[in-house]
Amino acid sequence: DPAIGYISMRQTRFSEETATEVQSGLQDLAALGVNSLILDLRGNPGGLLSQAQQVADLFLPKGVPIVSVRERDGRREDTKYSLKTPIAADIPLVILIDEGSASAAEIVAGAVQDNDRGIIVGNTSFGKGSVQTIFDLYEASDSALKLTTALYYTPSGRSIHRRGATPTIRNMSARQIGGLNLSAQAVVSSLLSAENPSAAVAALRVALDV
């Protein structure tokens, strides 16, 4: 559908220019007159926290929470908020995630979901919501110790680490229907592609062999 915009961040990373590139893509799509958007974060392993915040800024109302960073001992918590007026505040938004979506990708998906800004579709993400601090070991040359010192939490307080972002809508897998192992997605697709209700019923009968 030409009215649905699509921005792929699939199998890329949140690097220094990511937010600028996404903003440019949004502006190009707006010029084309799109009225809804898909942001594809499947296979995105994450990257810079600052870029996750800036990408979320493009969609979320100013001043809402994006992510909290809590130290392991629980004594310190730093919450990141959206800082700018979004350029895509009202356009309907769907974010695609899968098992390869991690870290910064999960932060963006969690912020959009918990602020009721869009729908998350796909499979539960990887679950990399930890902050590592590297300490040089001066006693031994070229060596260091990396410790997990904090964890990321979504605006509603859900830990991302080892749990991942849970989609609003999951991919539909095979189901036992009428004694047959059928793909629910294939069945629904055949019904939606039918020209009228009678054709839809006929398609379902064919699928179920009844």
Side-chain angles (χ1 to χ4, degrees), residues 41-55:
L41 294 176
R42 291 176 294 174
N44 189 307
L48 299 175
L49 173 61
S50 61
Q51 291 298 305
Q53 181 180 358
Q54 291 177 41
V55 169

Side-chain angles (χ1 to χ4, degrees), residues 69-78 129-135 145-153 161:
V69 184
R70 300 181 192 172
E71 291 190 355
R72 294 185 66 178
D73 57 14
R75 290 184 297 179
R76 292 184 57 189
E77 179 175 343
D78 180 21
S130 61
V131 180
Q132 282 83 37
T133 301
I134 298 177
F135 300 91
L145 177 66
K146 182 168 70 173
L147 292 178
T148 297
T149 55
L151 297 176
Y152 292 133
Y153 291 81
H161 195 55

Side-chain angles (χ1 to χ4, degrees), residues 17-97:
E17 302 298 325
T18 294
T20 300
E21 292 170 352
V22 174
Q23 179 173 338
S24 177
L26 287 171
Q27 292 169 338
D28 290 344
L29 291 171
L32 294 174
V34 302
N35 57 25
S36 53
L37 180 69
I38 297 171
L39 181 64
D40 194 345
L41 294 176
R42 291 176 294 174
N44 189 307
L48 299 175
L49 173 61
S50 61
Q51 291 298 305
Q53 181 180 358
Q54 291 177 41
V55 169
D57 261 349
L58 299 172
F59 303 100
L60 297 176
K62 185 177 180 179
V64 302
I66 294 175
V67 65
S68 294
V69 184
R70 300 181 192 172
E71 291 190 355
R72 294 185 66 178
D73 57 14
R75 290 184 297 179
R76 292 184 57 189
E77 179 175 343
D78 180 21
T79 300
K80 308 294 184 182
Y81 295 89
S82 55
L83 301 175
K84 301 177 181 179
T85 301
I87 66 170
D90 302 318
I91 186 171
L93 174 64
V94 169
I95 293 183
L96 305 182
I97 62 171

Side-chain angles (χ1 to χ4, degrees), residues 34-210:
V34 302
N35 57 25
S36 53
L37 180 69
I38 297 171
L39 181 64
D40 194 345
L41 294 176
R42 291 176 294 174
N44 189 307
L48 299 175
L49 173 61
S50 61
Q51 291 298 305
Q53 181 180 358
Q54 291 177 41
V55 169
D57 261 349
L58 299 172
F59 303 100
L60 297 176
K62 185 177 180 179
V64 302
I66 294 175
V67 65
S68 294
V69 184
R70 300 181 192 172
E71 291 190 355
R72 294 185 66 178
D73 57 14
R75 290 184 297 179
R76 292 184 57 189
E77 179 175 343
D78 180 21
T79 300
K80 308 294 184 182
Y81 295 89
S82 55
L83 301 175
K84 301 177 181 179
T85 301
I87 66 170
D90 302 318
I91 186 171
L93 174 64
V94 169
I95 293 183
L96 305 182
I97 62 171
D98 64 8
E99 299 88 344
S101 306
S103 187
E106 294 173 293
I107 289 172
V108 172
V112 167
Q113 186 178 49
D114 283 7
N115 285 292
D116 295 323
R117 175 60 188 84
I119 296 174
I120 312 302
V121 178
N123 294 323
T124 301
S125 58
F126 183 81
K128 185 182 182 300
S130 61
V131 180
Q132 282 83 37
T133 301
I134 298 177
F135 300 91
D136 289 324
L137 300 178
Y138 298 105
E139 294 80 4
S141 61
D142 300 325
S143 61
L145 177 66
K146 182 168 70 173
L147 292 178
T148 297
T149 55
L151 297 176
Y152 292 133
Y153 291 81
T154 69
S156 66
R158 294 178 295 145
S159 174
I160 294 173
H161 195 55
R162 297 182 180 175
R163 300 180 183 178
T166 303
T168 310
I169 302 175
R170 293 180 180 271
N171 286 343
M172 294 180 288
S173 57
R175 295 290 188 270
Q176 286 289 331
I177 303 176
L180 301 175
N181 190 34
L182 298 175
S183 165
Q185 186 167 3
V187 171
V188 171
S189 296
S190 66
L191 296 179
L192 293 177
S193 63
E195 295 181 355
N196 51 58
S198 297
V201 172
L204 186 58
R205 289 183 179 278
V206 170
L208 297 178
D209 193 25
V210 293

